[in-house]
Amino acid sequence: MDIAIIGIAGRFPEAGNLDGFYRNLAAGRDSVRPFSRARLRNTGIPTAEEYEIFGYLEDIDLFDHEFFNISLGEAQHMDPHQRLILEVVYETFENAGYNPDFFLGTRTAVFVGDVTLAYSRHANRVEPTLTTGNLHPITAGRIARTFDLRGGALM
């Protein structure tokens, strides 16, 4: 069986897309840095604490829940990884030159390699949508459901 990668997208520190990532690589830019003050402010993380120097993403708190037909409450409880991957999947369709509607109801499969989700540790109380938005195995299923892909959905 042949497999072809026809679209690609991503989010990277100091680069919101592949073009920005390429420019950073070509310039030899090191994007490992402390949390920005804007991210600390926008995500509600305590500003007085010390954090590791790392390759952080900005704007992880921005997500158009209506675009993805997700309620505001559910989107607020979703780990940022799940929100970001929905955006990146949409951009991957665009990068491949397809409208995501082209795949509605098709036997298109979803295969995802993802990180362990830990966003729920910040919750003050348990909500029903906290579970689905923070379980690692649900990510592939959420992508399949969001884009109406009817093939396998595997993590």
Side-chain angles (χ1 to χ4, degrees):
M1 175 196 301
D2 293 331
I3 296 175
I5 297 172
I6 57 171
I8 188 169
R11 295 281 193 290
F12 310 92
E14 297 187 317
N17 57 41
L18 290 169
D19 291 335
F21 184 59
Y22 175 78
R23 284 192 300 276
N24 286 348
L25 287 175
R29 184 176 189 164
D30 181 357
S31 296
V32 174
R33 67 201 190 302
F35 264 123
S36 72
R37 289 288 160 205
R39 176 161 174 195
L40 289 172
R41 215 176 24 258
N42 292 339
T43 55
I45 298 172
T47 58
E49 294 186 28
E50 291 291 322
Y51 297 96
E52 286 187 54
I53 295 176
F54 203 75
Y56 294 106
L57 298 179
E58 296 294 326
D59 302 327
I60 64 166
D61 57 316
L62 303 178
F63 179 70
D64 188 351
H65 65 95
E66 291 175 337
F67 181 81
F68 291 100
N69 199 27
I70 295 172
S71 73
L72 177 59
E74 185 175 2
Q76 289 172 329
H77 293 131
M78 285 171 64
D79 187 287
H81 291 97
Q82 280 194 12
R83 296 189 302 249
L84 288 168
I85 201 165
L86 290 176
E87 294 171 348
V88 170
V89 167
Y90 188 89
E91 290 171 14
T92 300
F93 285 130
E94 288 183 323
N95 180 267
Y98 285 97
N99 180 324
D101 291 347
F102 176 82
F103 295 95
L104 290 174
T106 63
R107 291 179 37 98
T108 302
V110 177
F111 299 92
V112 179
D114 200 2
V115 298
T116 301
L117 307 179
Y119 187 67
S120 60
R121 289 186 288 172
H122 302 291
N124 294 326
R125 66 177 198 260
V126 175
E127 300 284 344
T129 54
L130 191 64
T131 302
T132 57
N134 288 272
L135 283 178
H136 174 74
I138 289 179
T139 305
R142 182 180 294 280
I143 293 166
R145 185 180 133 259
T146 298
F147 295 99
D148 193 23
L149 307 175
R150 309 263 173 106
L154 304 169
M155 292 297 293

